[in-house]
Amino acid sequence: MHTKGTQAPEARARALLEKMTRKEKIGQLRQRLYGFHCYQIKDGRISFTKTFEQEVADCGGLGTLYGLFRADPWSGRHYGNGLCGEQAVKAYNQVQNYVLEHSRLRIPVMVSSECPHGHQALDGYLLPVNLAVGAAFSPQLAKEAAAVCAKQLKGMGVALALVSLLDILRDPRWGRCEECFSEDPYLASCLAGAVVESMQAQGCAVVAKHFCGQGETTGGVNASAARIGERELHEIHLPAAKACCEAGVLGIMAAYNEIDGVYCHANRQLLEGILRGAFGFSGVVMADGLAIDQLDAMTGDNVASAAAALKAGVDIGLWDDAYAKLDEAVEQGYVSEKEIDRAVLRVLKLKYALGLFDQPFIGPDGSRSAYAAQKGYFQAYAYQDYPQSQKLAEESAVLLKNKGGVLPLLDKTLKIAVIGPGADDIYRQIGDYSPPLKNRQARPEAGDTSNWQENGSEGRTLWEGLLEASEGRTLRLCDGKNLEEAQHLAKWSDVAVLALGGSSSRFEGAVFDKNGAALKSGQMGMDCGEGVDSADIRLPDGQEQLFSCVKRNGKKIVTVVIAGRPYAIPQISQDTDALLYVFYPGPMGGAAVANLLYGKKSPSGRLSASLPRSVGQLPVFYNYRNSYQAMHYYNEEDGALYAFGEGFGYSSFQVTQVEWDGIHLSCMVENTGSYEDAIVLQCYRRVSGSTTVPRVRELKAFQKLWLRSGERKKAAISIGKEFFQVYGAQGQWEEEQGHCELLLMDSGKILWRGQVGYTANRQNVQ
């Protein structure tokens, strides 16, 4: 936190608040502008639009500006007309200077920017999507990768990074599955807290989104009702937010959905009672795009909607008209001046804490320009200088089948057919909310990668990765649109690498809503992403037919599914020789997967979300309540196709000498195979004798442990007090009488089990 002299940010904020007019106060709460519409570039010079200048005049300054650096098909910004490099920094300084000069009290503006899996800006450093980060089971690696993103954001002047951290995947029909870390609240909480801690340590405030229950959905439809009770809310959807608050998160974004009939944006119990009361949150609450206006469906009046959101605890609007009418809300008696002041104080306090008043510009002194000055940050090859993105991609790929040890492809005389829509399309592996990548129209010819680096192209497709690391292997490519061509190529090969999956690419064509979500009525090259919910979760575009066509040749098939959601692939799983499931792995995903297929690395990911057998089987999350036989139908096999936590590598492990005292678990792990590999020790709780219906099992601790071939290591895992707590019948977390079984698992197999009683001293460990 930034302070000046002996005055803390709150004291300085209170002193400033006393000098402000109501117009200036309300101006701090408005965030109406789309920042990418605020500027024009002509002959290298940046100028502002009349819309921007008028908004500054109307607000007596400007509180927060969204998306100044955003680039994608919705914003219309690209390398021909957008901001990058030194020009991005110049634009930020111009914006800040204009706002200060037109603010009577010289109050600086905060720039907010999307960062769901890296900065959504030209030359933005991108990561694998959250589902992939979850599959890596490595909070430490997530922290390291997030720190790179935060340095870039900070260096470009971004004060508020809008980061997807709170959603829990409960329905794979939902198009925004990729934004979730997992279907499991404990894994998601560990990662959410780690990312907040890492990014804010770099001086960039995080606005964690979305609060709360958005991943529950009704029928997988975006922004739909979360029809859940208090217990499901507290056990599944609130833990990630609590972890963010414990990590000191400075911002929270409310979710579009309603919970049990109350919109999150108008839910005072949620935003004030739970978030600020129970969790101790003291930062700013931001609205989601146009969400306050959508409260009109409940209030019937836009002014009343503004009042409902403000009284519930929403401090900053986003693109809505409602918060521009807060003055009317005061005049009509909907809200008081005191309630306006409460929200404004939080905004000013954050601006002081971030040092914006003392250092509003990015200058040459290095205090806020270190990012821009360092090699690689604004250059195409940041991914080589900062390998965290590729490492996350390597550690997140999940090997689910390897019949006869077809993988890795070690033989350098192999003829490999690379087939499918995901083989050579970079945008099919980077997910939604992604900027355009530099020079991606360029493709190396087969066998020629000598000038690939000099071309300055960002990232690697699977084809490029396999080609670059081929070492004598012969490769041929086709996209699979022509089935006859695909079959002919497979017949030529020794093994076919079939790259299937989906796409959240906005670059394949789409029409967008006012909040940036894809519209069903438009051209749709996407089958996943915001606004792209699906009634079917089979692979799109005839990919099952493509698989069957390639399979007829009788050659070995390695199926790589590159996806933003869990797909139902029972037939492919049965008929393929090897199956590697890869949630969108980011720009360097192709190089990462190539390293795994060639055996340079061993797959170490575990499923962060279960894969269903069919859409009719939903929900298939593993941690359902033990009150019924889930996923049980007369015309379908029981259970998920592959459950949360499954996955394995190229080696094998032996776990011995397990000891548990109710708090600490230790064991000896030996790599008994021939590859360096990782075991992911997962500790699950299974409760009996509870006053509420328990879940069949719940993840409560985990540790990812890398070992070389033949190496032995002692693993030590601390079991938190939450292991012994349940959300009881009285509506609070408590330790109650009963028994608990600990299951030590990996790859879906139980390695060890032990029991302990729910007593105060946690005796009777077996």
Side-chain angles (χ1 to χ4, degrees):
M1 301 291 280
H2 189 94
T3 59
K4 182 179 181 180
T6 59
Q7 286 188 301
E10 183 165 355
R12 298 176 73 185
R14 288 188 182 278
L16 180 60
L17 182 64
E18 292 178 0
K19 303 174 184 178
M20 297 174 69
T21 65
R22 187 190 297 169
K23 172 186 173 179
E24 290 169 334
K25 292 175 184 178
I26 293 173
Q28 291 299 303
L29 308 183
R30 291 165 58 166
Q31 190 181 195
R32 294 181 66 195
L33 295 176
Y34 298 86
F36 43 83
H37 289 158
C38 290
Y39 67 91
Q40 301 163 336
I41 302 176
K42 186 175 182 180
D43 299 327
R45 298 186 64 181
I46 302 166
S47 61
F48 298 127
T49 62
K50 294 296 183 182
T51 302
F52 171 76
E53 293 175 350
Q54 186 62 53
E55 182 73 2
V56 174
D58 291 345
C59 293
L62 202 62
T64 309
L65 177 63
Y66 170 92
L68 177 65
F69 304 116
R70 180 166 179 163
D72 67 342
W74 177 53
S75 67
R77 295 296 181 176
H78 48 76
Y79 278 100
N81 64 2
L83 299 170
C84 61
E86 294 180 2
Q87 196 171 47
V89 175
K90 181 179 179 181
Y92 167 81
N93 281 336
Q94 282 188 218
V95 166
Q96 192 67 269
N97 186 63
Y98 187 91
V99 171
L100 288 170
E101 287 186 346
H102 292 80
S103 168
R104 181 177 65 90
L105 298 171
R106 293 190 62 82
I107 301 174
V109 62
M110 291 189 293
V111 170
S112 67
S113 194
E114 299 284 2
C115 187
H117 52 98
H119 192 195
Q120 193 183 6
L122 299 176
D123 290 348
Y125 186 84
L126 301 182
L127 306 176
V129 296
N130 279 359
L131 265 185
V133 177
F137 272 80
S138 179
Q140 180 58 38
L141 183 53
K143 288 178 69 172
E144 294 170 6
V148 179
C149 298
K151 288 178 182 177
Q152 184 182 55
L153 290 156
K154 172 72 172 178
M156 293 176 72
V158 174
L160 304 175
L162 312 183
V163 189
S164 300
L165 297 174
L166 307 181
D167 298 326
I168 306 298
L169 195 167
R170 304 302 271 178
D171 193 324
R173 292 173 292 183
W174 187 38
R176 304 185 77 171
C177 290
E178 65 195 74
E179 296 182 46
C180 308
F181 285 124
S182 178
E183 69 184 41
D184 178 80
Y186 179 79
L187 175 59
S189 299
C190 292
L191 293 166
V195 169
V196 168
E197 180 184 332
S198 174
M199 294 188 73
Q200 293 193 167
Q202 301 298 328
C204 183
V206 169
V207 177
K209 58 181 191 176
H210 308 84
F211 190 72
C212 178
Q214 183 172 246
E216 186 68 34
T217 80
T218 296
V221 176
N222 189 42
S224 59
R227 300 182 298 172
I228 56 176
E230 182 183 15
R231 188 157 288 103
E232 198 77 4
L233 179 67
H234 281 268
E235 291 180 0
I236 300 297
H237 297 285
L238 287 175
K242 182 181 179 183
C244 287
C245 291
E246 291 173 348
V249 71
L250 295 172
I252 293 284
M253 178 179 284
Y256 283 120
N257 58 282
E258 47 103 333
I259 302 173
D260 195 25
V262 181
Y263 279 115
C264 293
H265 283 75
N267 194 329
R268 184 172 176 81
Q269 172 58 23
L270 181 69
L271 300 181
E272 292 289 333
I274 294 175
L275 183 61
R276 295 196 184 277
F279 294 171
F281 175 70
S282 60
V284 297
V285 172
M286 183 183 292
D288 208 340
L290 300 170
I292 300 176
D293 290 346
Q294 293 172 10
L295 296 181
D296 291 0
M298 178 181 72
T299 67
D301 178 75
N302 201 227
V303 176
S305 293
L310 186 74
K311 292 172 82 70
V314 177
D315 302 310
I316 302 173
L318 182 58
W319 311 329
D320 54 85
D321 292 326
Y323 264 28
K325 301 172 183 176
L326 281 172
D327 188 61
E328 295 178 54
V330 175
E331 295 298 328
Q332 295 178 31
Y334 284 122
V335 297
S336 67
E337 192 87 27
K338 183 177 180 181
E339 288 169 317
I340 297 284
D341 288 352
R342 179 186 64 181
V344 176
L345 181 64
R346 292 169 181 158
V347 174
L348 296 177
K349 179 182 174 182
L350 180 56
K351 289 186 176 184
Y352 276 114
L354 293 174
L356 288 172
F357 280 89
D358 303 320
Q359 294 178 332
F361 302 109
I362 302 173
D365 62 351
S367 59
R368 297 188 65 196
S369 62
Y371 182 86
Q374 291 179 16
K375 177 188 176 184
Y377 280 119
F378 287 131
Q379 297 176 13
Y381 274 86
Y383 296 105
Q384 292 188 0
D385 295 320
Y386 301 92
Q388 290 87 347
S389 182
Q390 180 171 334
K391 187 168 177 58
L392 259 179
E394 288 171 348
E395 293 204 21
S396 65
V398 185
L399 183 62
L400 295 170
K401 185 178 181 181
N402 194 17
K403 182 180 177 182
V406 63
L407 289 177
L409 304 173
L410 297 177
D411 187 349
K412 296 181 182 179
T413 67
L414 284 174
K415 294 184 294 183
I416 303 173
V418 186
I419 303 170
D424 193 32
D425 186 343
I426 195 76
Y427 291 109
R428 294 179 73 95
Q429 66 188 46
I430 61 174
D432 198 3
Y433 280 85
S434 293
L437 301 184
K438 188 174 291 181
N439 297 330
R440 284 315 304 179
Q441 71 278 9
R443 293 286 192 274
E445 297 299 325
D448 179 17
T449 60
S450 59
N451 67 341
W452 186 232
Q453 180 169 336
E454 286 74 15
N455 286 342
S457 298
E458 290 183 337
R460 295 291 185 274
T461 65
L462 178 57
W463 164 250
E464 293 160 359
L466 289 169
L467 192 65
E468 197 167 37
S470 58
E471 296 182 308
R473 300 171 181 86
T474 304
L475 288 84
R476 292 183 182 175
L477 169 72
C478 80
D479 61 16
K481 293 180 180 178
N482 185 314
L483 296 182
E484 184 177 347
E485 179 188 5
Q487 189 173 21
H488 179 75
L489 190 61
K491 186 176 181 180
W492 161 85
S493 71
D494 297 313
V495 59
V497 174
L498 200 53
L500 306 179
S503 174
S504 296
S505 172
R506 295 173 174 235
F507 300 90
E508 295 182 37
V511 176
F512 303 100
D513 205 345
K514 292 180 179 179
N515 68 346
L519 287 172
K520 178 181 177 181
S521 59
Q523 179 184 353
M524 189 66 69
M526 309 162 67
D527 80 301
C528 200
E530 185 176 5
V532 192
D533 311 314
S534 180
D536 188 4
I537 50 174
R538 294 178 299 176
L539 291 170
D541 304 324
Q543 292 183 46
E544 292 176 349
Q545 185 180 3
L546 172 61
F547 179 89
S548 297
C549 179
V550 172
K551 180 68 178 176
R552 293 191 196 108
N553 292 281
K555 299 297 179 69
K556 298 289 186 183
I557 297 180
V558 174
T559 302
V560 180
V561 179
I562 302 173
R565 62 155 53 95
Y567 286 105
I569 52 170
Q571 197 62 50
I572 290 174
S573 172
Q574 176 180 301
D575 294 340
T576 191
D577 295 285
L579 175 61
L580 191 69
Y581 209 95
V582 185
F583 295 115
Y584 296 142
M588 295 305 296
V593 174
N595 284 342
L596 299 173
L597 296 183
Y598 287 153
K600 296 183 178 182
K601 303 284 185 179
S602 181
S604 64
R606 303 295 186 264
L607 282 179
S608 50
S610 303
L611 304 188
R613 298 180 186 276
S614 67
V615 69
Q617 196 187 33
L618 301 179
V620 298
F621 45 76
Y622 84 99
N623 51 356
Y624 58 90
R625 295 195 185 279
N626 201 16
S627 60
Y628 67 105
Q629 190 172 355
M631 296 167 275
H632 177 68
Y633 302 92
Y634 87 90
N635 54 353
E636 183 66 272
E637 292 185 48
D638 285 359
L641 181 64
Y642 295 101
F644 170 85
E646 289 194 51
F648 57 92
Y650 294 147
S651 204
S652 56
F653 296 90
Q654 186 176 23
V655 177
T656 58
Q657 302 176 36
V658 182
E659 297 180 0
W660 182 40
D661 63 4
I663 301 175
H664 303 101
L665 182 141
S666 65
C667 61
M668 187 61 66
V669 181
E670 181 179 2
N671 183 340
T672 56
S674 55
Y675 291 87
E676 181 180 13
D677 206 345
I679 188 171
V680 181
L681 297 169
Q682 304 160 46
C683 298
Y684 293 90
R685 178 181 75 173
R686 182 176 285 168
V687 175
S688 61
S690 174
T691 58
T692 60
V693 179
R695 301 182 187 277
V696 290
R697 58 186 172 96
E698 303 168 82
L699 184 70
K700 291 298 178 183
F702 63 88
Q703 183 180 83
K704 188 169 191 175
L705 196 64
W706 283 92
L707 294 92
R708 297 184 300 274
S709 174
E711 186 178 9
R712 298 177 79 242
K713 282 185 180 179
K714 185 175 182 178
I717 303 175
S718 295
I719 309 295
K721 64 180 181 180
E722 293 82 5
F723 191 89
F724 298 94
Q725 293 182 337
V726 296
Y727 196 77
Q730 304 305 314
Q732 59 186 10
W733 289 100
E734 57 190 34
E735 184 174 305
E736 64 177 2
Q737 298 299 312
H739 285 83
C740 174
E741 184 177 39
L742 183 147
L743 306 177
L744 182 63
M745 301 180 65
D746 187 26
S747 306
K749 299 177 181 178
I750 297 175
L751 307 174
W752 179 88
R753 67 175 73 203
Q755 289 188 344
V756 65
Y758 270 127
T759 59
N761 56 6
R762 299 175 186 169
Q763 297 294 320
N764 306 319
V765 178
Q766 298 179 5

PDB file of all heavy atoms in Angstrom, residues 694-706:
ATOM      1  N   PRO A 694     -23.765 -35.529   3.550  1.00  0.00           N
ATOM      2  CA  PRO A 694     -22.393 -35.257   3.106  1.00  0.00           C
ATOM      3  C   PRO A 694     -22.229 -35.502   1.610  1.00  0.00           C
ATOM      4  O   PRO A 694     -23.080 -36.112   0.958  1.00  0.00           O
ATOM      5  CB  PRO A 694     -21.570 -36.260   3.920  1.00  0.00           C
ATOM      6  CG  PRO A 694     -22.498 -37.420   4.103  1.00  0.00           C
ATOM      7  CD  PRO A 694     -23.869 -36.827   4.255  1.00  0.00           C
ATOM      8  N   ARG A 695     -21.118 -35.035   1.076  1.00  0.00           N
ATOM      9  CA  ARG A 695     -20.756 -35.310  -0.314  1.00  0.00           C
ATOM     10  C   ARG A 695     -19.975 -36.618  -0.374  1.00  0.00           C
ATOM     11  O   ARG A 695     -19.368 -37.027   0.617  1.00  0.00           O
ATOM     12  CB  ARG A 695     -19.935 -34.158  -0.893  1.00  0.00           C
ATOM     13  CG  ARG A 695     -20.693 -32.842  -0.852  1.00  0.00           C
ATOM     14  CD  ARG A 695     -19.912 -31.686  -1.460  1.00  0.00           C
ATOM     15  NE  ARG A 695     -20.640 -30.436  -1.239  1.00  0.00           N
ATOM     16  CZ  ARG A 695     -21.644 -29.999  -2.005  1.00  0.00           C
ATOM     17  NH1 ARG A 695     -22.010 -30.713  -3.062  1.00  0.00           N
ATOM     18  NH2 ARG A 695     -22.260 -28.879  -1.730  1.00  0.00           N
ATOM     19  N   VAL A 696     -19.996 -37.261  -1.526  1.00  0.00           N
ATOM     20  CA  VAL A 696     -19.342 -38.569  -1.644  1.00  0.00           C
ATOM     21  C   VAL A 696     -17.852 -38.464  -1.346  1.00  0.00           C
ATOM     22  O   VAL A 696     -17.268 -39.362  -0.744  1.00  0.00           O
ATOM     23  CB  VAL A 696     -19.568 -39.208  -3.027  1.00  0.00           C
ATOM     24  CG1 VAL A 696     -21.009 -39.637  -3.171  1.00  0.00           C
ATOM     25  CG2 VAL A 696     -19.177 -38.260  -4.156  1.00  0.00           C
ATOM     26  N   ARG A 697     -17.230 -37.384  -1.767  1.00  0.00           N
ATOM     27  CA  ARG A 697     -15.862 -37.050  -1.364  1.00  0.00           C
ATOM     28  C   ARG A 697     -15.591 -35.603  -1.730  1.00  0.00           C
ATOM     29  O   ARG A 697     -16.223 -35.047  -2.623  1.00  0.00           O
ATOM     30  CB  ARG A 697     -14.823 -37.993  -1.967  1.00  0.00           C
ATOM     31  CG  ARG A 697     -14.787 -38.084  -3.468  1.00  0.00           C
ATOM     32  CD  ARG A 697     -13.805 -39.163  -3.920  1.00  0.00           C
ATOM     33  NE  ARG A 697     -13.881 -39.407  -5.346  1.00  0.00           N
ATOM     34  CZ  ARG A 697     -13.088 -38.863  -6.264  1.00  0.00           C
ATOM     35  NH1 ARG A 697     -12.115 -38.047  -5.875  1.00  0.00           N
ATOM     36  NH2 ARG A 697     -13.232 -39.132  -7.548  1.00  0.00           N
ATOM     37  N   GLU A 698     -14.625 -34.999  -1.037  1.00  0.00           N
ATOM     38  CA  GLU A 698     -14.290 -33.591  -1.244  1.00  0.00           C
ATOM     39  C   GLU A 698     -12.782 -33.413  -1.129  1.00  0.00           C
ATOM     40  O   GLU A 698     -12.168 -33.849  -0.163  1.00  0.00           O
ATOM     41  CB  GLU A 698     -14.963 -32.715  -0.186  1.00  0.00           C
ATOM     42  CG  GLU A 698     -16.471 -32.823  -0.108  1.00  0.00           C
ATOM     43  CD  GLU A 698     -17.013 -32.157   1.142  1.00  0.00           C
ATOM     44  OE1 GLU A 698     -17.173 -30.926   1.134  1.00  0.00           O
ATOM     45  OE2 GLU A 698     -17.253 -32.880   2.140  1.00  0.00           O
ATOM     46  N   LEU A 699     -12.200 -32.751  -2.117  1.00  0.00           N
ATOM     47  CA  LEU A 699     -10.773 -32.453  -2.074  1.00  0.00           C
ATOM     48  C   LEU A 699     -10.499 -31.454  -0.956  1.00  0.00           C
ATOM     49  O   LEU A 699     -11.164 -30.424  -0.855  1.00  0.00           O
ATOM     50  CB  LEU A 699     -10.316 -31.879  -3.410  1.00  0.00           C
ATOM     51  CG  LEU A 699      -8.819 -31.596  -3.544  1.00  0.00           C
ATOM     52  CD1 LEU A 699      -8.028 -32.892  -3.596  1.00  0.00           C
ATOM     53  CD2 LEU A 699      -8.534 -30.757  -4.792  1.00  0.00           C
ATOM     54  N   LYS A 700      -9.494 -31.755  -0.119  1.00  0.00           N
ATOM     55  CA  LYS A 700      -9.150 -30.869   0.996  1.00  0.00           C
ATOM     56  C   LYS A 700      -7.666 -30.512   1.051  1.00  0.00           C
ATOM     57  O   LYS A 700      -7.273 -29.641   1.822  1.00  0.00           O
ATOM     58  CB  LYS A 700      -9.574 -31.517   2.320  1.00  0.00           C
ATOM     59  CG  LYS A 700     -11.088 -31.608   2.499  1.00  0.00           C
ATOM     60  CD  LYS A 700     -11.730 -30.224   2.527  1.00  0.00           C
ATOM     61  CE  LYS A 700     -13.231 -30.274   2.663  1.00  0.00           C
ATOM     62  NZ  LYS A 700     -13.845 -28.927   2.627  1.00  0.00           N
ATOM     63  N   ALA A 701      -6.852 -31.181   0.255  1.00  0.00           N
ATOM     64  CA  ALA A 701      -5.425 -30.855   0.187  1.00  0.00           C
ATOM     65  C   ALA A 701      -4.842 -31.576  -1.022  1.00  0.00           C
ATOM     66  O   ALA A 701      -5.383 -32.595  -1.481  1.00  0.00           O
ATOM     67  CB  ALA A 701      -4.693 -31.265   1.462  1.00  0.00           C
ATOM     68  N   PHE A 702      -3.741 -31.061  -1.541  1.00  0.00           N
ATOM     69  CA  PHE A 702      -3.057 -31.739  -2.650  1.00  0.00           C
ATOM     70  C   PHE A 702      -1.613 -31.270  -2.708  1.00  0.00           C
ATOM     71  O   PHE A 702      -1.248 -30.221  -2.170  1.00  0.00           O
ATOM     72  CB  PHE A 702      -3.755 -31.479  -3.989  1.00  0.00           C
ATOM     73  CG  PHE A 702      -3.758 -30.044  -4.425  1.00  0.00           C
ATOM     74  CD1 PHE A 702      -2.714 -29.507  -5.175  1.00  0.00           C
ATOM     75  CD2 PHE A 702      -4.819 -29.206  -4.092  1.00  0.00           C
ATOM     76  CE1 PHE A 702      -2.726 -28.182  -5.571  1.00  0.00           C
ATOM     77  CE2 PHE A 702      -4.831 -27.868  -4.477  1.00  0.00           C
ATOM     78  CZ  PHE A 702      -3.786 -27.361  -5.222  1.00  0.00           C
ATOM     79  N   GLN A 703      -0.795 -32.055  -3.362  1.00  0.00           N
ATOM     80  CA  GLN A 703       0.604 -31.680  -3.589  1.00  0.00           C
ATOM     81  C   GLN A 703       1.090 -32.342  -4.866  1.00  0.00           C
ATOM     82  O   GLN A 703       0.913 -33.546  -5.061  1.00  0.00           O
ATOM     83  CB  GLN A 703       1.495 -32.123  -2.425  1.00  0.00           C
ATOM     84  CG  GLN A 703       2.949 -31.692  -2.574  1.00  0.00           C
ATOM     85  CD  GLN A 703       3.811 -32.152  -1.409  1.00  0.00           C
ATOM     86  OE1 GLN A 703       4.274 -33.294  -1.374  1.00  0.00           O
ATOM     87  NE2 GLN A 703       4.008 -31.275  -0.449  1.00  0.00           N
ATOM     88  N   LYS A 704       1.674 -31.537  -5.734  1.00  0.00           N
ATOM     89  CA  LYS A 704       2.273 -32.049  -6.967  1.00  0.00           C
ATOM     90  C   LYS A 704       3.759 -32.218  -6.729  1.00  0.00           C
ATOM     91  O   LYS A 704       4.451 -31.278  -6.331  1.00  0.00           O
ATOM     92  CB  LYS A 704       2.019 -31.085  -8.125  1.00  0.00           C
ATOM     93  CG  LYS A 704       2.425 -31.623  -9.485  1.00  0.00           C
ATOM     94  CD  LYS A 704       1.905 -30.721 -10.598  1.00  0.00           C
ATOM     95  CE  LYS A 704       2.077 -31.374 -11.957  1.00  0.00           C
ATOM     96  NZ  LYS A 704       1.472 -30.543 -13.036  1.00  0.00           N
ATOM     97  N   LEU A 705       4.257 -33.410  -6.990  1.00  0.00           N
ATOM     98  CA  LEU A 705       5.636 -33.751  -6.646  1.00  0.00           C
ATOM     99  C   LEU A 705       6.336 -34.323  -7.871  1.00  0.00           C
ATOM    100  O   LEU A 705       5.906 -35.331  -8.432  1.00  0.00           O
ATOM    101  CB  LEU A 705       5.636 -34.775  -5.511  1.00  0.00           C
ATOM    102  CG  LEU A 705       6.927 -34.995  -4.742  1.00  0.00           C
ATOM    103  CD1 LEU A 705       7.337 -33.731  -3.993  1.00  0.00           C
ATOM    104  CD2 LEU A 705       6.762 -36.157  -3.762  1.00  0.00           C
ATOM    105  N   TRP A 706       7.405 -33.654  -8.300  1.00  0.00           N
ATOM    106  CA  TRP A 706       8.187 -34.120  -9.453  1.00  0.00           C
ATOM    107  C   TRP A 706       9.343 -34.994  -8.977  1.00  0.00           C
ATOM    108  O   TRP A 706      10.047 -34.642  -8.023  1.00  0.00           O
ATOM    109  CB  TRP A 706       8.737 -32.942 -10.244  1.00  0.00           C
ATOM    110  CG  TRP A 706       7.717 -32.284 -11.109  1.00  0.00           C
ATOM    111  CD1 TRP A 706       6.915 -31.234 -10.790  1.00  0.00           C
ATOM    112  CD2 TRP A 706       7.380 -32.647 -12.446  1.00  0.00           C
ATOM    113  NE1 TRP A 706       6.096 -30.913 -11.845  1.00  0.00           N
ATOM    114  CE2 TRP A 706       6.361 -31.754 -12.875  1.00  0.00           C
ATOM    115  CE3 TRP A 706       7.835 -33.629 -13.331  1.00  0.00           C
ATOM    116  CZ2 TRP A 706       5.797 -31.834 -14.151  1.00  0.00           C
ATOM    117  CZ3 TRP A 706       7.273 -33.699 -14.596  1.00  0.00           C
ATOM    118  CH2 TRP A 706       6.269 -32.817 -15.001  1.00  0.00           C
TER     119      TRP A 706
END
